[in-house]
Amino acid sequence: MENIKKERGDLVSLIVPVLNEEESIRPFISAINDKLSSLEAKLEIIFIDDGSTDKTVDVIRELQENDSRVGYVKLARNFGKEAAMTAGFDYARGDAVVPMDVDLQDPPELILEFHRLCLEGYDTVFGLRTSREEDTKGKRASAGMFYRVFNWLSHTEIPHNAGDFRLIDRKVVEALQKMPERNRFMKGMFAWPGFTSIGVEYNRPGRFAGNTKWNAWKLWNFALDGLTGFSTWPLRVWSYIGAVIASISLLYMLFIIFRTIAFGVDWPGYASLMSAILFFGSVQLISTGILGEYLGRLYIESKQRPVYIVEEFSEGSDNG
Ligand code: UDP
Ligand code: MG
C-alpha cells in the first residue's frame, strides 16, 4: 500500500464520553501520556461530559489548566453514550478521530497501530476484541447472537466483536455528520458509509475503576435500536407469515367444510377453537408490537429534536 500513503493524521482527536467517571479521568490521561508519547501526530483530547452528577467536570477543568490538549463539551443532561459520541465528532477538529472509553478498556497503545494503518491508507481502523473474558457467559452468547441476527437482517455488515473503539479519518466523520437520525446505533452507523477498513485484534481488559453503565434491559433495547435502525425486515416479514398462516387456514377450512358435509356436524371442538384463538391472538399482538417498535421510533425521528444539547464548551488551547 506504499503508493497510497496519505499525508494525513497530523492532528488526532480523542473523543471520550464520560458519565460519572471522576476517578478514571486522571489515570486515563496518565495512560495516554505513557503510551502515546511516540505518536507522530498532535493530540487533542475532548471529554464529553454526559450529564455527570459527580466531580467529573471539575476534574476535567483542573486538568485543562495544565494540559493544553484537553478540551471538553458539557452536555446539558445525560443523553447517552451514542449522543455524547456524536457531540464529540461534531467538536473534534482532528484529521483523524478516535472515540474511546475513559475506563482504559480501550488500550491507548493500540492507537499507535491504528494511526500507522490510517497513514497506510485505511479510512477506518477498528479494534477487534479477541477475548471477552470480562463479560459473563450470558453477555457473550447474547452479543454473538445479536451480531449474527443483525448481519442476517441488515444490508450493513458489522464485524463481530468490534466496539466503538476505532480511528476514523476525517472523511468518515463527515459522512457520519450527514446522518441525522436520532436513533444512533453507532456500530451500524460507522459501517454504513463504507470506505476502506481494517480490524486490529486486542485483548479487552476489565474496567479499571467504577461500574459499567449497562444492564440487561438497556442492552436489549440497544439491540432493538440497532435492528430497527438498520433493517425493515422485521416489519415486512408479517405479510409472509400472514400468507403462510392464511394458506394453512384455508386448507384447514376446506377440510372442516368437507368433513361437515360428509360426516355431519362435529359438535365438540373446544380445544381446537381455543388453540386457534389464542394462537392467532398472540401472533397478531406480536406483529402489532413490532409495528409499535418502528412507529415509536418513527415518532421520535419525526420530531427532529437535536441529538444533544450543549451547556458548555471549552476548547483546548493548544490547537490554534
Ligand atoms: N457513558 C456515557 N454516557 C452514558 C453511559 C456511558 O458517556 O450514558 C460513557 C462512560 O463514562 C464510559 C463509556 O461511555 O466512558 C463506556 O461506558 P461503560 O464502560 O459503562 O460501557 P462498557 O465498557 O461496559 O460497554
Ligand atoms: Mg467500559
Side-chain angles (χ1 to χ4, degrees), residues 21 101-106 204 206-207 211-214:
E21 303 275 10
D101 291 2
V102 76
D103 56 17
L104 296 179
Q105 285 193 282
D106 301 331
R204 189 169 166 85
R207 229 175 190 283
N211 290 313
T212 174
K213 313 295 186 290
W214 291 98

Side-chain angles (χ1 to χ4, degrees), residues 16-21 48-50 78-82 84 100-103 105 129 135 139 204 207 211-214 218:
V16 192
V18 283
L19 168 62
N20 298 334
E21 303 275 10
I48 302 94
D49 174 61
D50 191 17
N78 178 249
F79 283 87
K81 185 186 170 186
E82 320 284 305
M100 69 191 290
D101 291 2
V102 76
D103 56 17
Q105 285 193 282
R129 290 170 258 177
D135 288 338
K139 191 172 173 191
R204 189 169 166 85
R207 229 175 190 283
N211 290 313
T212 174
K213 313 295 186 290
W214 291 98
K218 276 195 185 167

Side-chain angles (χ1 to χ4, degrees), residues 12 22 80 116 129 157 181:
V12 173
E22 54 183 11
R116 196 182 61 72
R129 290 170 258 177
E157 280 274 319
E181 57 246 62

